[in-house]
Amino acid sequence: SQVYLEEGEQMTVDELLKCVTVVSGNDAAVAMAEYLAGSETAFVEQMNRRAKELGLENTRFANCTGLHDPDHYASAADLAQLLDAALNNEIFRQVFTSRSYTTSPTAQHPQGFTMYSSMFSLLDKLPGQDSELLGGKTGYTSQAGLCLASLMEVDGREYILVTTGAPGDHTTDPYHLLDALEVCDQLRSGILNT
């Protein structure tokens, strides 16, 4: 997905981060990579160095978007560890748990534009959900299936859950989100011991 940035449009790194995290703006991810490292390739090298520093043994990045590439992979455990580290950054935590964000005006978008969290948009479509989900980042490719890295709070305790390879696509039930809601229910009822 993308946020349809236009050539010459200027945004802050903070706004690009929100475009990437809130709605998976691949164009924003590439723009930020090029700004921060000079090229997407150089940024991916930095991503792989950071993965090694974090001890992510089953992760290799080939791009900054998460789009399919045979040399781009990560285990659910590594993604959970990566999310845990990212959540220590207060700016990231605030963006990750945002339901929506409206950008500042630009020449190309004089009113700015509003983005809505993919996870919360799906959650809002499910009837009767009073969820403990605090934030999440959805993902989908036909090869990876429906994916979700989420943060939940049950009985005052925070949990990270990563779902990968859930069946379906954007036209089916959101099985990745339904999995997270089921885990929330099991934690709340005491079925799962932590």
Side-chain angles (χ1 to χ4, degrees):
S1 64
Q2 55 185 327
V3 292
Y4 302 99
L5 298 176
E6 296 181 28
E7 187 174 336
E9 189 163 9
Q10 294 186 7
M11 298 182 94
T12 66
V13 170
D14 181 65
E15 287 187 323
L16 288 172
L17 174 65
K18 290 170 181 163
C19 290
V20 171
T21 307
V22 175
V23 293
S24 302
N26 290 330
D27 50 347
V30 172
M32 187 160 46
E34 290 174 348
Y35 173 75
L36 293 174
S39 70
E40 182 178 8
T41 300
F43 189 74
V44 169
E45 289 172 7
Q46 291 178 7
M47 291 170 65
N48 284 317
R49 272 195 305 277
R50 184 66 177 134
K52 285 191 188 317
E53 290 169 6
L54 291 171
L56 308 182
E57 296 180 6
N58 298 301
T59 295
R60 183 182 185 290
F61 299 110
N63 58 59
C64 68
T65 61
L67 293 174
H68 180 72
D69 183 298
D71 292 325
H72 187 102
Y73 54 85
S75 68
D78 279 3
L79 291 174
Q81 186 176 339
L82 180 60
L83 178 55
D84 187 46
L87 287 168
N88 288 319
N89 179 298
E90 196 55 42
I91 294 170
F92 177 82
R93 179 183 266 279
Q94 185 273 325
V95 172
F96 189 75
T97 58
S98 295
R99 286 183 158 270
S100 66
Y101 176 73
T102 301
T103 67
S104 301
T106 66
Q108 294 79 358
H109 295 98
Q111 306 302 314
F113 56 89
T114 301
M115 305 169 277
Y116 298 93
S117 162
S118 304
M119 186 200 74
F120 285 119
S121 294
L122 289 170
L123 186 64
D124 291 345
K125 293 177 185 175
L126 297 174
Q129 286 304 319
D130 182 25
S131 172
E132 290 92 349
L133 289 172
L134 301 176
K137 174 72 182 76
T138 61
Y140 171 78
T141 65
S142 57
Q143 297 87 353
L146 293 168
C147 302
L148 175 65
S150 57
L151 174 66
M152 58 186 73
E153 183 177 10
V154 179
D155 297 329
R157 185 170 179 189
E158 288 188 350
Y159 298 89
I160 290 173
L161 176 68
V162 173
T163 302
T164 61
D169 57 34
H170 295 303
T171 66
T172 65
D173 286 340
Y175 296 110
H176 52 340
L177 183 57
L178 294 172
D179 285 347
L181 294 172
E182 178 64 25
V183 169
C184 282
D185 287 344
Q186 290 187 17
L187 286 167
R188 191 180 329 105
S189 66
I191 294 173
L192 285 179
N193 295 322
T194 56

